[in-house]
Amino acid sequence: MNVRRSVTALALAGATAVALGAAVPAVAVTPSPAPSVAIPDGLYGTTDPTYDGVWRQSLALLAQRTVGVTPADRAVAWLAGQQCANGAFAAFRADTAKPCDAKLMVDTNSTAAAVQALAALGGHRAATEKAVSWLKSVQNADGGWGYSPGGASDANSTSVVAGAMAAAGQRPAEVKKAQKSSYDALLKLSIACDKAGGGAFAYQPDKKGGLAANADATAAGVLGVLGKGFVTTAGKAPAPMNGNSCGNSPAPLTPSELARDGSAYLVEAISNDGHLTSALPGAADQPDYGNTADAVVALAAQGWTAQAKKPLAWLERNSAAWAKQSGPAAYAQLLFAAHAMGADPRHFGGTDLVAQLNATGPTPQTTATGKATRQAAESESKDDSDSGYSVWWIVGVFLVAGIGIGFLISGRGRKQQP
């Protein structure tokens, strides 16, 4: 989900919303050397948390829990303290003593990511139940979710919420509005096999109702229809099929068929270089590290671990600098990919992802071995970044919104964002 996730990522600039379902590429915006918002005690990352504080914290804590690390109490308390009385989360609340009001932009992605993290950490049942209730209250009539309450459904938001429902013990296919579930919403966003980009998911329909293949939305969609969150293990590989894996089933497709066709699209997208590619208008194509990690998770969940080995190996060779620059959510995305494939995140292409993630925030209570972690000069060792989702890309999205562009989807297929 980089969100998923990371985040979830996707942008809905016309609605001034940014869904952080996956990593996002940088744009030509020069970042300030210091964040405009003070970094709160307990928060992971060192960049301005305005647009991604809850997202990056949720992914960081969930990743730690996944590898048996017990996060610092103040890190968990920071995340839990971001919740509004109605159960929703915003991207960041600087003053949690002030009640949430109508001016605060709460969103489904931050809320769903927090649910996945808090559910995994345990001891937060009341908080997750309130968050799930709020998510159900803003479900759209087509069964899906948009980034903002009432916004048009998109594949990434719908999938990260489906993952939250599963993490909270719900069955996503049974969470319905007007008799429609997340599956129905994702089915409408899937591209028929006789169309360009067949098998993929679109982020959203265009203004004319057309669907454009988007690889990041596809990675999210595969997890969504499978009812999986950011953390998953390898599924059972489907039986081999004759001929093209897309197009052998009559409509409407079942969830497993949607996941199969989406996975086939991802395999094709990574077949040449072993990675997905990002592009924004006016920017050169570049490797999309975060969304490649998301694709690995999706393929593993589908049971196609053989097909996921190539992108995983590419990430092991090439992702260290990106993760160091991007911060906690990026390390989490890579850790989720390693975990899904049964690889050791402590020996990931020569990088200890667990140690690197731990160094971006408060010293955890314990490691997987139960020994207290000791990190000297903790504050100095933090990465100079926020998450796998560049805040400055997000700022660029809002600038684009002012120009009047309805929404951005990265050129790769959702190729969406590092």
Side-chain angles (χ1 to χ4, degrees):
M1 195 88 34
N2 198 192
V3 60
R4 293 336 261 104
R5 344 282 159 269
S6 21
V7 273
T8 102
L10 46 116
L12 190 52
T16 62
V18 179
L20 298 173
V24 296
V27 291
V29 177
T30 302
S32 169
S36 58
V37 176
I39 304 301
D41 180 57
L43 177 61
Y44 275 75
T46 59
T47 54
D48 191 329
T50 299
Y51 300 109
D52 78 330
V54 166
W55 180 268
R56 78 197 199 201
Q57 189 81 347
S58 298
L59 267 64
L61 299 183
L62 180 59
Q64 288 179 325
R65 181 66 183 87
T66 299
V67 295
V69 172
T70 303
D73 286 341
R74 70 181 191 273
V76 178
W78 184 90
L79 178 60
Q82 288 285 301
Q83 189 172 31
C84 295
N86 66 356
F89 285 77
F92 174 69
R93 292 172 61 198
D95 183 4
T96 54
K98 178 183 177 182
C100 301
D101 56 25
K103 294 181 180 180
L104 181 70
M105 193 175 81
V106 295
D107 68 85
T108 61
N109 286 227
S110 298
T111 304
V115 167
Q116 294 194 44
L118 293 174
L121 290 167
H124 299 274
R125 182 173 179 179
T128 57
E129 286 180 348
K130 287 180 68 175
V132 166
S133 294
W134 180 81
L135 288 168
K136 289 180 178 180
S137 75
V138 297
Q139 186 176 16
N140 291 330
D142 63 4
W145 284 266
Y147 178 83
S148 299
S153 298
D154 66 75
N156 297 73
S157 298
T158 298
S159 296
V160 73
V161 174
M165 294 296 171
Q170 306 275 316
R171 293 180 180 272
E174 296 176 2
V175 178
K176 297 183 177 183
K177 181 73 170 288
Q179 301 304 309
K180 299 290 186 180
S181 70
S182 55
Y183 157 74
D184 296 293
L186 291 169
L187 177 62
K188 288 178 62 177
L189 292 170
S190 65
I191 300 175
C193 290
D194 60 350
K195 306 292 184 182
F201 289 85
Y203 166 58
Q204 282 181 331
D206 61 28
K207 292 182 178 180
K208 296 182 179 180
L211 299 176
N214 184 300
D216 187 54
T218 302
V222 169
L223 290 177
V225 294
L226 291 175
K228 304 292 186 181
F230 297 131
V231 178
T232 185
T233 53
K236 181 179 180 181
M241 294 166 290
N242 296 323
N244 188 346
S245 62
C246 187
N248 294 328
S249 301
L253 299 179
T254 65
S256 62
E257 290 167 341
L258 285 177
R260 175 203 66 195
D261 291 350
S263 297
Y265 178 86
L266 291 174
V267 170
E268 178 64 23
I270 61 179
S271 60
N272 290 331
D273 302 320
H275 64 79
L276 297 175
T277 302
S278 285
L280 285 174
D285 288 359
Q286 57 184 305
D288 193 331
Y289 301 89
N291 293 335
T292 299
D294 294 344
V296 170
V297 175
L299 291 174
Q302 169 68 4
W304 290 8
T305 53
Q307 293 87 339
K309 288 180 179 178
K310 184 175 181 178
L312 182 70
W314 183 87
L315 287 169
E316 289 182 312
R317 293 192 304 270
N318 298 286
S319 65
W322 165 77
K324 183 177 181 179
Q325 180 184 23
S326 300
Y331 283 120
Q333 284 178 279
L334 295 174
L335 192 149
F336 296 152
H339 175 78
M341 289 290 288
D344 185 356
R346 291 176 172 81
H347 297 89
F348 192 80
T351 298
D352 184 340
L353 296 176
V354 180
Q356 295 289 341
L357 171 61
N358 291 347
T360 66
T363 305
Q365 296 183 56
T366 61
T367 64
T369 59
K371 296 180 180 179
T373 57
R374 302 179 185 277
Q375 296 172 335
E378 171 187 310
S379 60
E380 287 78 12
S381 68
K382 279 186 161 189
D383 283 0
D384 295 328
S385 56
D386 51 31
S387 68
Y389 312 81
S390 168
V391 166
W392 299 106
W393 186 89
I394 297 170
V395 171
V397 168
F398 282 89
L399 293 175
V400 170
I403 300 173
I405 294 178
F407 60 87
L408 287 175
I409 303 176
S410 90
R412 119 165 83 106
R414 151 173 177 166
K415 243 177 233 171
Q416 192 185 328
Q417 320 126 214

